[in-house]
Amino acid sequence: MDLAMRGKLVPQDPNDEPASVLLEKIKAEKAELIKEKKIKKTKPLPPITDDEKPFDIPDSWEWVRLGDVIKPEVHKKPTKNFTYIDIASVDNKKNQIANPNKINIAKDKIASRARQELDSNDILFSVVRPYLKNIALVPDNDEYKVGSTGFYVLKPFKLISRKYIFYLVLSGYVISKMTQKMKGDNSPSIRKGDLQGLIIPLPPLSEQSRNIYTTIRKTSDFAEV
């Protein structure tokens, strides 16, 4: 198991606000967004048992389910010209969007899967054959972007480092767990609920921004459990 995920690659600062406080702030943000009708209320995920925790993490970190630190997807049929990002748009060697398609709704055929409204720096995780790592950040630009329903679109709350989550889902830990969940013969896939329910280690916010994701990226595939 890689040291990064255990919190051993970056020195622990006792002055860091613990992740437990961060989680309370996320709950407050979520409640406010629901109140303002900016996101929909979702079904609570089950509590994490001690038996589920695969390894020890620093006291200032917390185990959470991925679905508890990301906002719901936004499904909407496009009504104006858009940049379409499907799985073929992902360069899975560089984990970048390489070939998005410009769609003119008056002239072009709109794919039936083009239903996910995207924001810059959302994280796209293909639910088909996760071991192929068709995972990328949505480009940071002003274009109106729509994604395929073949992605699980991860939209972390504002107090979560998107790059931390991005490198986390690229890790051997996550890919291995999701590969084990695949079902189907022709296009073996996972359910979005498999990712939502996955338990992940959450560092304090200050540690997420302390270049931990850069360190993680340079390690040997981050985690093998």
Side-chain angles (χ1 to χ4, degrees), residues 70-140:
I70 58 177
K71 294 177 283 189
E73 296 174 314
V74 179
H75 289 243
K76 188 177 180 181
K77 185 177 180 178
T79 57
K80 59 183 179 180
N81 295 345
F82 62 95
T83 298
Y84 180 46
I85 300 174
D86 61 5
I87 295 173
S89 305
V90 178
D91 179 339
N92 63 359
K93 303 300 182 186
K94 297 180 179 180
N95 296 110
Q96 296 175 351
I97 302 302
N99 298 296
N101 298 304
K102 306 291 185 182
I103 302 297
N104 183 318
I105 62 169
K107 300 178 181 179
D108 300 323
K109 182 178 180 180
I110 300 175
S112 61
R113 284 179 169 262
R115 293 292 184 273
Q116 300 228 61
E117 201 166 76
L118 305 177
D119 294 316
S120 294
N121 295 316
D122 280 348
I123 300 148
L124 304 178
F125 190 109
S126 171
V127 297
V128 179
R129 295 187 174 92
Y131 57 85
L132 294 178
K133 294 188 178 182
N134 285 309
I135 300 167
L137 286 167
V138 173
D140 187 2

Side-chain angles (χ1 to χ4, degrees), residues 29-55:
E29 180 188 350
K30 184 176 182 179
E32 185 63 24
L33 290 172
I34 292 172
K35 182 180 177 181
E36 294 174 355
K37 297 184 179 180
K38 292 182 178 179
I39 65 171
K40 294 181 179 180
K41 189 173 183 179
T42 54
K43 184 179 178 181
L45 295 169
I48 296 170
T49 65
D50 287 339
D51 290 342
E52 290 182 275
K53 300 173 183 177
F55 47 86

Side-chain angles (χ1 to χ4, degrees), residues 93-221:
K93 303 300 182 186
K94 297 180 179 180
N95 296 110
Q96 296 175 351
I97 302 302
N99 298 296
N101 298 304
K102 306 291 185 182
I103 302 297
N104 183 318
I105 62 169
K107 300 178 181 179
D108 300 323
K109 182 178 180 180
I110 300 175
S112 61
R113 284 179 169 262
R115 293 292 184 273
Q116 300 228 61
E117 201 166 76
L118 305 177
D119 294 316
S120 294
N121 295 316
D122 280 348
I123 300 148
L124 304 178
F125 190 109
S126 171
V127 297
V128 179
R129 295 187 174 92
Y131 57 85
L132 294 178
K133 294 188 178 182
N134 285 309
I135 300 167
L137 286 167
V138 173
D140 187 2
N141 57 44
D142 294 330
E143 296 175 358
Y144 177 53
K145 299 175 284 285
V146 175
S148 166
T149 53
F151 292 117
Y152 186 8
V153 181
L154 310 180
K155 297 173 173 284
F157 285 99
K158 66 181 180 181
L159 289 175
I160 299 291
S161 164
R162 291 189 175 228
K163 285 191 175 180
Y164 176 73
I165 298 297
F166 173 59
Y167 290 126
L168 177 78
V169 297
L170 276 170
S171 72
Y173 169 73
V174 173
I175 298 302
S176 174
K177 294 284 188 185
M178 292 302 100
T179 300
Q180 292 171 28
K181 295 279 189 180
M182 288 189 312
K183 292 183 179 179
D185 296 325
N186 295 329
S187 296
S189 306
I190 60 170
R191 297 175 301 111
K192 293 184 178 183
D194 294 328
L195 267 171
Q196 290 172 344
L198 179 69
I199 65 167
I200 62 168
L202 183 69
L205 179 60
S206 55
E207 188 156 335
Q208 293 175 40
S209 60
R210 200 181 292 145
N211 293 325
I212 186 170
Y213 44 80
T214 302
T215 307
I216 288 167
R217 188 61 168 151
K218 292 178 180 177
T219 60
S220 57
D221 204 20

